Amino acid sequence: MSDYSTLELTIDGGIARLVLNQPERGNPVDATSSRELKEVAITLSENDNVRVVLLTARGRAFSVGGDIKTFAKDRAALSTIVKAWTADFHSAIVRLMRMRAPVIAAVHGAVGGGSVSFVAACDLVYAARNVKFGSGFAQIGFSPDSGSTVTLTQRMGLSRAKRFLMLSEVLSAEEAAKAGLVDVVTDEAALMQDAEAAAQVLAKAAPLAIGGIKQLMLRTRVQGVEAQMEDEAQTLAGIARSDDAWEGINAFLQRRKPEFRGK
């Protein structure tokens, strides 16, 4: 069990279960949660035993986004607060995006502001039917942060992401799935079961192969087709030298389940 005030972290059987744990406040993004999330992201990215991260939250809301009440306390300090919080929160999101293990988000209730981008940065997003995704930045006179212009564009496309942000839209789970923000919509009662099932599949999968897919997909929008195809070849060639690749080939030929060790 972890020792954090805003988060809870447990690791078992290759699955890191990360829980946002400020239910009475709606799990906001604030100074403490941003710092702790950055620390957790470093811990997870350095742990080779972590095969997959399952991100959930306690309470009625997954996360309401930035703590606006804190913003309102001191106008003169507002820009400093923004820089301090984003330094940690952005670092956490980037490390989770770039780490080898995939991240699954299982979301319910309200997801607002920067937390929408946090969810969009995850590799798989499961959403309960009661979810509402809200972009409140422009509504309070803010431009977006938390990687919103990157992660939302990657999932929704440039024009759809721009409309979502500029109009401060609120999307249902089904609307978010249609836009590409959500991968799977499920009943609230089945949310954790469905997300856990996906986590179990990834926990047994080949870590090098899954990590290779994740890293290659991150680069698809920033380089040309020739460079991307060469990266695919180089990544596959490196993985082909691994024990896992040899195990996978032999298990296929022997008609048995492979046992991948991440080596």
Side-chain angles (χ1 to χ4, degrees):
M1 188 71 67
S2 60
D3 185 21
Y4 300 103
S5 63
T6 68
L7 307 169
E8 183 179 293
L9 176 65
T10 57
I11 301 174
D12 180 58
I15 302 175
R17 293 176 175 84
L18 177 59
V19 184
L20 307 184
N21 193 26
Q22 296 187 87
E24 69 287 347
R25 299 180 60 214
N27 299 307
V29 177
D30 58 20
T32 304
S33 67
S34 297
R35 184 182 68 253
E36 291 187 347
L37 188 63
K38 178 189 69 174
E39 294 171 0
V40 165
I42 293 171
T43 298
L44 294 175
S45 65
E46 287 295 311
N47 189 338
D48 290 337
N49 292 321
V50 172
R51 299 285 188 93
V52 58
V53 179
L54 180 56
L55 173 65
T56 62
R58 290 199 174 91
R60 296 179 62 183
F62 177 83
S63 174
V64 296
D67 183 6
I68 298 177
K69 290 182 179 179
T70 297
F71 293 159
K73 289 179 180 179
D74 186 350
R75 179 177 179 176
L78 185 53
S79 62
T80 301
I81 290 172
V82 168
K83 288 183 178 180
W85 291 12
T86 55
D88 288 336
F89 195 49
H90 288 190
S91 174
I93 292 174
V94 168
R95 290 198 185 281
L96 290 171
M97 289 178 70
R98 293 193 176 278
M99 68 182 288
R100 185 173 73 178
V103 181
I104 301 173
V107 302
H108 68 280
V111 188
S115 295
V116 179
S117 177
F118 183 23
V119 168
C122 296
D123 300 288
L124 294 174
V125 179
Y126 285 71
R129 296 187 194 282
N130 71 342
V131 169
K132 297 293 183 183
F133 293 93
S135 171
F137 291 109
Q139 199 169 20
I140 62 169
F142 273 27
S143 59
D145 63 359
S146 311
S148 299
T149 55
V150 177
T151 61
L152 294 180
T153 298
Q154 288 176 340
R155 277 194 164 267
M156 303 169 73
L158 178 60
S159 296
R160 187 66 188 89
K162 188 191 298 182
R163 174 154 56 102
F164 177 67
L165 291 168
M166 285 186 168
L167 297 182
S168 298
E169 290 184 329
V170 176
L171 303 180
S172 68
E174 287 80 6
E175 290 169 334
K178 185 177 180 180
L181 179 58
V182 166
D183 296 301
V184 179
V185 177
T186 185
D187 293 333
E188 186 173 8
L191 175 64
M192 289 308 303
Q193 179 180 342
D194 291 349
E196 179 73 26
Q200 292 291 344
V201 170
L202 288 171
K204 294 179 176 63
L208 299 179
I210 298 300
I213 293 169
K214 180 172 178 174
Q215 296 307 314
L216 285 166
M217 296 301 289
L218 277 176
R219 296 194 289 269
T220 56
R221 294 179 181 270
V222 297
Q223 61 184 7
V225 63
E226 292 84 359
Q228 185 68 18
M229 292 176 73
E230 179 61 18
D231 272 359
E232 290 180 356
Q234 293 289 350
T235 300
L236 177 55
I239 291 174
R241 291 191 288 269
S242 69
D243 292 342
D244 275 0
W246 194 244
E247 166 66 8
I249 291 170
N250 282 281
F252 178 83
L253 294 174
Q254 295 166 15
R255 298 183 179 180
R256 61 175 174 81
K257 291 184 178 180
E259 295 183 7
F260 296 118
R261 304 183 184 279
K263 299 180 181 179

